[in-house]
Amino acid sequence: MRLQAFAKINLGLDVLGKREDGYHEVRMIMQTIRMYDQLDMRKSVEPGIHLTTNKKYIPVDENNLVWRAAKLMMDTCGIMEGVSIHLHKVIPVAAGMAGGSSDAAGTIFGLNELLGHPLKTIHKLCETLGSDLNVCLEGGSILATSRGEVIKKLKPVKSKLTLIKPKNLGISAREAYTKYSNKTNKPQKNMTEKMLNAFDNNQDFSEYLCNDLEYAVFDDYKELKKIKEYIPNAVMSGSGSTYFVLGDEVNTDIPGDDYQIIKGLEFIETGVIK
């Protein structure tokens, strides 16, 4: 079985506060885009999980969300057969684009198909593994609340976009949320609510693009400051370090060779597909 697991960006990300379980309460508008990792999987005569990738720096054991997703699925369903999975990685890692989460959602989706649908629904299983998996599973334009696992499909919106990724900088979600917690003056712009109203009324939503986590990490990295210096309307996705700018004809000229610029992308209405 071959699947495509798509990346996402955050059009809006409001951090509402810290929860008793240690996570943050968030309100986010997420959007899947036409960039994907490919998963090839098949049953194996050898028991266990056999994971390979096209990138040498990506782990192929329990440190990889794909491996953990396969283990969770097989343990939950009491599957004794083995499975072989090859992950062809395209989505940048530690980039705020949910590449790992999308791969994990794709793994659970694919194994459920491959094994004859032992689970009628996989959403509950997905949310036990991470906050973004349900968003990646469903795809399209989505409102995500709680810690990100409670989702609501929105009316589709369309746009072209360009990504700007510092080549040598990745930021973990843990780092971004910790730094946000340590900030004394936190923004309370409530931009997601304004964006939802714009969606409902078919209005331009670009003026409401906002990410509270950008505020948390921006001052610590010269690479992020340089993006905003040359592309002022660029917005960070998730915990970073990827930025995006909407539109077809956009100026993304940044001096030097320190950034990966990916043009020609667009919003899509799908999540994991086979």
Side-chain angles (χ1 to χ4, degrees):
M1 180 175 294
R2 173 167 290 178
L3 301 107
Q4 295 173 354
F6 290 92
K8 64 80 183 169
I9 59 170
N10 293 76
L11 300 177
L13 196 165
D14 290 332
V15 181
L16 306 180
K18 193 78 175 284
R19 295 157 45 117
E20 290 184 1
D21 61 7
Y23 288 96
H24 283 79
E25 191 78 17
V26 293
R27 185 176 174 85
M28 305 182 289
I29 297 178
M30 316 271 254
Q31 176 65 54
T32 47
I33 64 173
R34 197 170 297 284
M35 168 185 277
Y36 63 87
D37 292 341
Q38 183 172 288
L39 288 159
D40 290 294
M41 55 182 65
R42 60 181 175 81
K43 294 179 182 179
S44 172
V45 294
E46 299 260 346
I49 300 161
H50 311 281
L51 175 63
T52 57
T53 79
N54 64 320
K55 302 289 186 182
K56 292 182 179 179
Y57 59 83
I58 294 178
V60 292
D61 55 15
E62 64 272 12
N63 294 306
N64 190 307
L65 268 175
V66 167
W67 193 97
R68 285 156 55 191
K71 182 74 162 58
L72 177 63
M73 180 70 184
M74 295 170 79
D75 287 351
T76 300
C77 299
I79 303 298
M80 304 305 293
E81 300 172 81
V83 61
S84 294
I85 303 172
H86 181 73
L87 169 63
H88 185 87
K89 193 73 181 162
V90 173
I91 303 170
V93 300
M97 300 181 67
S101 295
S102 191
D103 296 340
T107 299
I108 293 174
F109 173 89
L111 286 179
N112 198 46
E113 294 270 324
L114 196 65
L115 300 171
H117 298 92
L119 298 179
K120 292 182 179 180
T121 176
I122 59 175
H123 285 84
K124 284 293 182 183
L125 196 63
C126 281
E127 72 180 55
T128 65
L129 200 58
S131 300
D132 290 339
L133 269 70
N134 283 338
V135 169
C136 297
L137 183 66
E138 289 295 321
S141 307
I142 291 182
L143 173 66
T145 55
S146 187
R147 57 178 172 83
E149 83 283 8
V150 178
I151 64 171
K152 176 185 177 183
K153 290 275 276 190
L154 302 174
K155 181 168 62 176
V157 293
K158 295 183 179 181
S159 180
K160 304 286 188 180
L161 75 153
T162 296
L163 300 180
I164 307 99
K165 168 73 171 65
K167 290 181 179 178
N168 299 311
L169 175 63
I171 303 173
S172 71
R174 180 185 294 273
E175 176 188 348
Y177 279 105
T178 298
K179 288 181 175 179
Y180 183 86
S181 293
N182 292 336
K183 292 286 187 180
T184 52
N185 297 315
K186 297 179 174 63
Q188 296 291 329
K189 298 180 179 179
N190 197 26
M191 285 298 192
T192 53
E193 188 62 36
K194 297 173 183 177
M195 189 178 294
L196 288 173
N197 289 333
F199 279 15
D200 288 341
N201 295 298
N202 297 315
Q203 297 172 342
D204 180 16
F205 60 87
S206 60
E207 65 179 293
Y208 305 120
L209 297 172
C210 187
N211 184 345
D212 284 353
L213 295 183
E214 179 180 353
Y215 161 79
V217 300
F218 183 79
D219 290 336
D220 295 331
Y221 294 105
K222 64 182 185 301
E223 296 92 338
L224 307 186
K225 294 178 181 179
K226 191 172 182 180
I227 292 174
K228 292 293 277 191
E229 178 184 355
Y230 287 92
I231 315 172
N233 59 334
V235 179
M236 194 175 84
S237 177
S239 57
S241 59
T242 302
Y243 274 64
F244 67 90
V245 58
L246 300 183
D248 201 6
E249 302 278 336
V250 293
N251 177 24
T252 53
D253 293 332
I254 304 179
D257 190 35
D258 299 324
Y259 296 87
Q260 181 183 12
I261 309 295
I262 306 172
K263 297 185 176 183
L265 300 174
E266 63 182 350
F267 291 4
I268 60 172
E269 297 179 24
T270 57
V272 173
I273 59 173
K274 64 175 182 176

